């Protein structure tokens, strides 16, 4: 009876998360998937920080923008746990309780409201990932995207040192994450772990030094390698997102982590308990 109650409760909670992303979100109901916990974290974007709703499952990490806390979310992102690598960060003057989430396509910083919440998130993500790799044939990721330097971190191109202006705009090299001007980032190259075919913006130093220069599409196909593309186009190519609309700040909960199932160790199975060998 306890197992039946567990399965039904788990199914209802997953369905509620799935419905909160409707109609644009993907299905989250999968055999053996367990909702471990959820909460709000502050995600560092290249332009600004924003609160996001995060949901930890036994095999994936899901996050999205907050429209109405606990009810509606948008821009659903699903990251397989085997593709995640965490890196702890020391507290700075402004940002505290941060850590870096690395994935093959994108890496980004998140911050928790307290040290205890940060430790809970990192510990549970690592434990779920470890259990997943032990109980399945999935292989851990080995190549990860760099984290982008925030726009406000530099007012000069980090290659030629020319100041950014309304006409000399900021761009990000997809290989090193540096802020560069258009003149210093005219080259395009395929970075396989970010996208298997798209040519992405790279700075002139990465163009000449990294091993993926050989993958760059030959120039005889046209002069598109010199084509000036907008940062918005590059953002789409690298699966970055900027939220549109205002978050209802007064709806955010005080805490940043809600465990779903009892004490730690009782809810980290990759399959429901009655299906474990």
């Amino acid at each position: 009876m306890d197992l039946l109650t567990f399965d039904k409760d788990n199914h209802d909670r997953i369905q509620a998360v799935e419905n909160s992303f409707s109609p644009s979100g993907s299905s989250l109901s999968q055999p053996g998937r367990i909702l471990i916990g959820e909460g709000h974290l502050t995600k560092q974007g290249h332009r600004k920080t924003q609160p996001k709703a995060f949901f930890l499952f036994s095999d994936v990490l899901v996050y999205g923008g907050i429209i109405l806390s606990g009810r509606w979310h948008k821009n659903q992102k699903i990251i397989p746990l085997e593709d995640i690598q965490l890196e702890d960060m020391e507290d700075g003057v402004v940002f505290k309780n941060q850590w870096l989430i690395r994935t093959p396509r994108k890496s980004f910083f998140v911050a928790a409201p307290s040290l205890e919440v940060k430790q809970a998130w990192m510990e549970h993500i690592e434990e779920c990932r470890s259990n997943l790799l032990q109980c399945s044939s999935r292989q851990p990721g080995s190549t990860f995207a760099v984290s982008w330097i925030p726009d406000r971190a530099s007012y000069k191109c980090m290659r030629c040192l020319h100041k950014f202006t309304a006409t000399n705009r900021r761009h990000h090299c997809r290989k090193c994450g540096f802020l560069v001007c258009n003149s210093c980032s005219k080259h395009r190259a395929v970075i396989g772990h970010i996208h298997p075919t798209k040519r992405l913006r790279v700075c002139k130093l990465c163009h000449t030094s990294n091993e993926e220069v050989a993958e760059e599409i030959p120039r005889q196909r046209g002069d598109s390698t010199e084509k000036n593309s907008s940062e918005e186009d590059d953002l789409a190519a690298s699966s970055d997102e900027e939220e549109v609309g205002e978050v209802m700040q007064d709806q955010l909960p005080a805490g940043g982590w809600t465990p779903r199932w009892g004490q730690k160790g009782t809810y980290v199975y990759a399959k429901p308990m009655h299906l474990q060998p």
Side-chain angles (χ1 to χ4, degrees):
M1 183 62 67
D2 289 341
L3 292 175
L4 292 175
T5 301
F6 175 90
D7 286 343
K8 184 181 185 305
D9 194 12
N10 179 62
H11 176 271
D12 291 346
R13 293 180 188 277
I14 292 178
Q15 195 65 52
V17 176
E18 181 179 314
N19 292 340
S20 74
F21 284 100
S22 294
S24 59
S26 300
S27 174
L28 296 175
S29 299
Q30 300 289 336
R33 177 172 289 171
I34 299 173
L35 176 60
I36 305 302
E38 64 183 76
H40 291 168
L41 299 172
T42 301
K43 178 178 174 291
Q44 173 69 60
H46 69 282
R47 290 194 178 98
K48 59 183 178 180
T49 60
Q50 289 185 319
K52 304 282 186 180
F54 279 78
F55 305 90
L56 176 60
F57 296 85
S58 52
D59 60 337
V60 294
L61 181 66
V62 178
Y63 72 91
I66 303 167
I67 299 177
L68 180 63
S69 180
R71 293 180 180 272
W72 298 108
H73 304 100
K74 60 182 179 179
N75 296 336
Q76 181 193 71
K77 305 295 180 183
I78 302 176
I79 310 173
L81 290 185
E82 68 269 21
D83 287 341
I84 286 179
Q85 182 184 77
L86 304 184
E87 181 178 340
D88 196 2
M89 306 298 295
E90 294 184 357
D91 287 348
V93 176
V94 178
F95 299 108
K96 300 182 183 299
N97 306 314
Q98 285 194 111
W99 71 97
L100 176 62
I101 298 179
R102 299 183 185 274
T103 78
R105 291 177 60 86
K106 178 182 177 182
S107 298
F108 53 92
F109 294 94
V110 293
S114 69
L115 177 60
E116 293 74 20
V117 171
K118 168 187 172 178
Q119 291 173 337
W121 271 105
M122 294 187 69
E123 181 178 340
H124 287 85
I125 292 174
E126 292 283 16
E127 194 163 355
C128 288
R129 182 176 182 274
S130 177
N131 277 275
L132 178 67
L133 294 174
Q134 290 177 10
C135 300
S136 70
S137 59
R138 302 190 190 189
Q139 297 298 314
S142 58
T143 306
F144 302 93
V146 298
S147 56
W148 287 7
I149 294 177
D151 284 5
R152 63 179 178 275
S154 179
Y155 65 95
K156 293 182 179 180
C157 172
M158 303 178 79
R159 294 304 181 205
C160 69
L161 302 182
H162 288 168
K163 289 184 178 180
F164 294 122
T165 64
T167 55
N168 188 36
R169 296 173 52 213
R170 291 173 171 82
H171 299 279
H172 283 90
C173 172
R174 301 309 190 259
K175 182 66 178 178
C176 65
F178 277 26
L179 285 165
V180 290
C181 66
N182 186 65
S183 296
C184 291
S185 59
K186 288 185 176 181
H187 297 288
R188 302 293 183 270
V190 173
I191 306 176
H193 60 87
I194 296 179
H195 195 283
T197 59
K198 282 185 179 294
R199 291 172 297 150
L200 305 177
R201 182 186 295 268
V202 294
C203 69
K204 58 185 179 181
L205 181 61
C206 289
H207 172 70
T208 58
S209 64
N210 73 69
E211 297 179 351
E212 294 173 346
V213 170
E215 297 178 19
E216 188 173 4
I217 296 178
R219 188 165 302 189
Q220 56 264 33
R221 293 187 181 181
D223 61 356
S224 59
T225 53
E226 299 296 325
K227 182 180 179 180
N228 293 341
S229 64
S230 68
E231 188 76 354
E232 287 74 21
D233 292 339
D234 285 343
L235 289 176
S238 63
S239 73
D240 191 32
E241 85 286 344
E242 278 296 327
E243 296 296 351
V244 179
E246 295 296 325
V247 175
M248 299 183 64
Q249 298 287 353
D250 59 336
Q251 296 289 334
L252 297 179
W257 169 261
T258 304
R260 283 304 188 188
W261 314 113
Q263 299 299 314
K264 186 185 72 173
T266 63
Y267 50 79
V268 295
Y269 295 103
K271 296 181 179 180
M273 288 179 286
H274 63 287
L275 296 180
Q276 290 294 313

